[in-house]
Amino acid sequence: GAGVSQSPSNKVTEKGKDVELRCDPISGHTALYWYRQRLGQGLEFLIYFQGNSAPDKSGLPSDRFSAERTGESVSTLTIQRTQQEDSAVYLCASSFNRETNEKLFFGSGTQLSVL
Amino acid sequence: EDKVVQSPLSLVVHEGDTVTLNCSYEVTNFRSLLWYKQEKKAPTFLFMLTSSGIEKKSGRLSSILDKKELFSILNITATQTGDSAVYLCAVPHGSSNTGKLIFGQGTTLQVKP
């Protein structure tokens, strides 16, 4: 696609429910990243995919968070048993190749609100 | 610990003013420094800097890196209301050869008519 696409753009859920967030990266981009942005804060790294493998999951805050990627394309970030502190914007980004992996292209994010 | 600190955290100016945004960093194995503009939600890429003293320029925006003093500045001349946004500075994590970036808190710029 023309850009990184994320869905839904907004999600309101009740505490304790599970949520799934989806990311469609730019076609041909091999690297995919999930970041979280709490209100008024910078972005926090969550997880990185190269192809369908996740060599770096160091930013996932707890075992309630998981992510997968299939077909070297779409990725889903799953948060189980959501808590109020999970409320944030979840941003997905992709990049083309290893040599320019720092230059990320971001989606518009999913605003998650946990009531 | 790798970190990025931006200043000021917020800034209000009038159209036509020139602004300078600051970014200081501490990172092992420095590779690059990136500036992003965030309007609403999606950060958009502005500049990637790798060498000291070489100014990168795009229209009214310019940026320069000082690797000795570990900082970068982003200048915007003749500001317009459309420049209102959060400006984010980031560096790749020192131990990773990937796009795992460490971001500063951002500078919120408001340009008044």
Side-chain angles (χ1 to χ4, degrees):
Chain A
V4 178
S5 176
Q6 291 188 246
S7 62
S9 55
N10 286 283
K11 176 72 177 177
V12 180
T13 191
E14 293 179 350
K15 179 181 170 181
K17 295 280 177 79
D18 297 352
V19 295
E20 269 193 7
L21 313 180
R22 177 186 167 105
C23 172
D24 279 278
I26 293 172
S27 178
H29 279 196
T30 57
L32 184 148
Y33 303 80
W34 285 98
Y35 283 82
R36 177 172 73 176
Q37 187 176 30
R38 290 192 164 121
L39 188 63
Q41 302 295 314
L43 279 67
E44 304 170 71
F45 169 82
L46 297 178
I47 186 170
Y48 154 63
F49 287 93
Q50 183 63 38
N52 293 333
S53 301
D56 191 342
K57 309 178 183 181
S58 62
L60 294 178
S62 75
D63 60 8
R64 296 186 296 104
F65 288 71
S66 63
E68 66 173 14
R69 188 180 185 194
T70 56
E72 300 198 353
S73 180
V74 172
S75 176
T76 54
L77 176 69
T78 302
I79 309 173
Q80 296 178 307
R81 304 181 302 282
T82 51
Q83 303 294 312
Q84 287 182 335
E85 63 261 27
D86 299 335
S87 297
V89 176
Y90 289 83
L91 289 158
C92 177
S94 66
S95 66
F96 182 58
N97 60 37
R98 295 193 75 86
E99 286 70 35
T100 57
N101 253 354
E102 297 103 304
K103 184 176 175 181
L104 304 185
F105 296 84
F106 284 89
S108 295
T110 295
Q111 173 76 62
L112 176 65
S113 300
V114 181
L115 304 179
Chain B
E1 181 185 344
D2 297 345
K3 67 178 179 180
V4 176
V5 177
Q6 293 185 244
S7 64
L9 293 181
S10 65
L11 194 53
V12 181
V13 300
H14 288 93
E15 274 193 315
D17 289 348
T18 293
V19 297
T20 298
L21 309 183
N22 303 292
C23 174
S24 63
Y25 62 89
E26 292 178 27
V27 64
T28 54
N29 302 320
F30 176 85
R31 301 201 309 278
S32 62
L33 183 145
L34 299 98
W35 285 96
Y36 283 86
K37 177 182 182 182
Q38 186 176 28
E39 297 172 275
K40 296 185 181 178
K41 290 181 193 171
T44 52
F45 174 82
L46 294 175
F47 299 112
M48 184 165 78
L49 303 155
T50 56
S51 302
S52 277
I54 298 175
E55 185 182 56
K56 293 242 177 162
K57 199 169 170 64
S58 176
R60 296 176 294 102
L61 277 67
S62 63
S63 184
I64 198 160
L65 175 68
D66 186 328
K67 287 164 74 173
K68 183 179 176 185
E69 300 297 330
L70 308 182
F71 77 91
S72 174
I73 59 172
L74 175 68
N75 278 318
I76 309 174
T77 59
T79 51
Q80 302 172 356
T81 55
D83 295 327
S84 297
V86 176
Y87 290 84
L88 297 166
C89 174
V91 295
H93 193 281
S95 67
S96 174
N97 185 28
T98 70
K100 179 180 178 181
L101 302 180
I102 301 165
F103 282 85
Q105 320 95 297
T107 293
T108 301
L109 174 65
Q110 183 183 0
V111 181
K112 292 186 171 181

